[in-house]
Amino acid sequence: MNTLVAWLNKHLGAEIAGLFVFLFAVIVIFGVASPQFLTMANFGSIAFQLPELGLLTLAMLMPIISGGFNLAIIYTANICGLTLAYVLQIHGGPDAPMWAFILGSGAALIVGAAAGCFMGLVIAYIGAHPILVSLAMMIFLRGLGEFLTKGGDISNFPAYLHPIGHGFVLGVPVPLLIFALAALVWHILLGRSRHGFSVYMTGSNVRATAYSGVHTKRTLTLIYTLSGLMCAVAGILMLARFNSVRVGHGEALLLVTVLACFLGGVDPFGGFGRVVPVVLALVILQVLSSGLNLLGANQHLSTAVWGIFLIAVMVLRWLAGKTKLFSNGKG
């Protein structure tokens, strides 16, 4: 076991190696605790449930790296789903043609990008705190969505959407492929583009970054625009997965997206974070959720566990930082 950990540390880095070891431990524990855990049916369920949370976490990731926050990701996804649903409904509902879905998806992407762009402009040019701006946007989108739907849901969409939410390509769930593609785009964008460099610099010290010649206001605006765009992708997938749209769907996932980012090593104060460790953290959290469900834990208990887990992760990271600082000082 020590040899394996040492190999993982050498080839993948200590952060990713630690997550792999943690994931292995979680699988072993739940595999022993529940005979249904190590089954293809359970792993298939995890593969279909992960993408929804994963896309929302990617929407949260870039704002956190920049030193900000986006509390509106859930309701942005919901309002984008409502936009697509509205276009499908006015063009025949279950009989809507494929071009209506393409039109509605384009409209949903525009709505998501517009919501994110507006937040980014307020944060960048007015200087308002990201938490307050995104909270205001969250309240606005929630109220707007409830007004438009009168507190109900919209359902009964065309049958051709079923493969998007429930289909397979070469044995791999389509939602998982969508998430993998989105994660790859985010990985390239953050790690190999000028914008990604600007995101990290802005998160480290926005004032110093501005003095160095980086257009931080444009960077912040683009960060939240891209966040809103990813929320739109999540909203479209959620509509295809559940064949319905409801304001407030996925409210409990907001906490889990933050937890996934912090468990994946993202600095809550900005300036550091990578996509690959966050994806591993997502897998761990989805495996934990599946295991708790198989053990009979209800949704409220699972939510409480996420809260405790988030506090534990923060404490452990603080202790790790203190230990490292002490070791360096002693050396």
Side-chain angles (χ1 to χ4, degrees), residues 136-161:
M137 180 60 74
M138 180 186 77
I139 295 170
F140 167 72
L141 293 176
R142 179 177 182 174
L144 178 63
E146 289 179 345
F147 170 76
L148 294 174
T149 62
K150 297 179 174 60
D153 59 2
I154 302 175
S155 58
N156 200 17
F157 301 117
Y160 57 73
L161 293 181

Side-chain angles (χ1 to χ4, degrees), residues 66 143 169 223 251 270 285 294 308:
S66 71
V169 173
I223 285 169
E251 282 179 308
L285 293 175
L294 289 174
I308 294 172

Side-chain angles (χ1 to χ4, degrees), residues 40-52 165 167-168 171-179 237 241 283 286-287 290:
M40 289 304 298
N42 182 51
F43 287 125
S45 175
I46 291 173
F48 273 106
Q49 293 172 8
L50 175 66
E52 178 187 346
F168 293 86
V172 181
V174 172
L176 190 61
L177 290 174
I178 294 172
F179 168 62
L237 181 60
R241 279 272 297 141
V283 175
Q286 195 60 62
V287 169
S290 177

Side-chain angles (χ1 to χ4, degrees), residues 1-144:
M1 184 67 180
N2 290 334
T3 304
L4 177 60
V5 173
W7 185 89
L8 290 172
N9 276 327
K10 179 180 178 181
H11 294 278
L12 300 177
E15 184 180 26
I16 295 179
L19 289 171
F20 267 118
V21 172
F22 189 18
L23 176 60
F24 177 76
V26 170
I27 292 174
V28 169
I29 291 171
F30 282 119
V32 172
S34 173
Q36 290 84 27
F37 184 79
L38 297 176
T39 61
M40 289 304 298
N42 182 51
F43 287 125
S45 175
I46 291 173
F48 273 106
Q49 293 172 8
L50 175 66
E52 178 187 346
L53 172 61
L55 292 170
L56 291 170
T57 301
L58 291 178
M60 179 66 80
L61 176 60
M62 207 176 289
I64 291 182
I65 292 177
S66 71
F69 219 73
N70 187 358
L71 293 173
I73 57 170
I74 305 298
Y75 291 102
T76 302
N78 291 161
I79 209 73
C80 292
L82 284 174
T83 302
L84 172 56
Y86 176 74
V87 173
L88 290 172
Q89 289 294 321
I90 64 176
H91 288 95
D95 300 318
M98 177 61 75
W99 65 262
F101 170 70
I102 296 173
L103 177 64
S105 297
L109 292 172
I110 291 172
V111 167
C117 182
F118 181 79
M119 286 189 291
L121 288 171
V122 173
I123 292 167
Y125 289 91
I126 296 180
H129 198 284
I131 291 180
L132 295 178
V133 175
S134 60
L135 177 62
M137 180 60 74
M138 180 186 77
I139 295 170
F140 167 72
L141 293 176
R142 179 177 182 174
L144 178 63

Side-chain angles (χ1 to χ4, degrees), residues 252-328:
L253 296 181
L254 180 62
L255 169 66
V256 189
T257 62
V258 177
L259 175 56
C261 288
F262 292 166
L263 181 60
V266 180
D267 191 331
F269 299 105
F272 181 80
R274 294 185 295 158
V275 172
V276 174
V278 170
V279 171
L280 275 174
L282 282 166
V283 175
I284 291 171
L285 293 175
Q286 195 60 62
V287 169
L288 275 170
S289 177
S290 177
L292 289 171
N293 288 335
L294 289 174
L295 293 178
N298 61 38
Q299 182 180 359
H300 301 296
L301 178 59
S302 297
T303 303
V305 170
W306 297 145
I308 294 172
F309 198 45
L310 176 57
I311 295 173
V313 167
M314 298 292 284
V315 171
L316 288 173
R317 289 188 62 186
W318 178 79
L319 290 174
K322 283 288 186 180
T323 302
K324 184 177 180 180
L325 182 63
F326 175 75
S327 300
N328 291 338

Side-chain angles (χ1 to χ4, degrees), residues 166-189:
H166 302 273
F168 293 86
V169 173
L170 300 176
V172 181
V174 172
L176 190 61
L177 290 174
I178 294 172
F179 168 62
L181 179 60
L184 178 62
V185 171
W186 245 229
H187 174 70
I188 295 172
L189 192 61

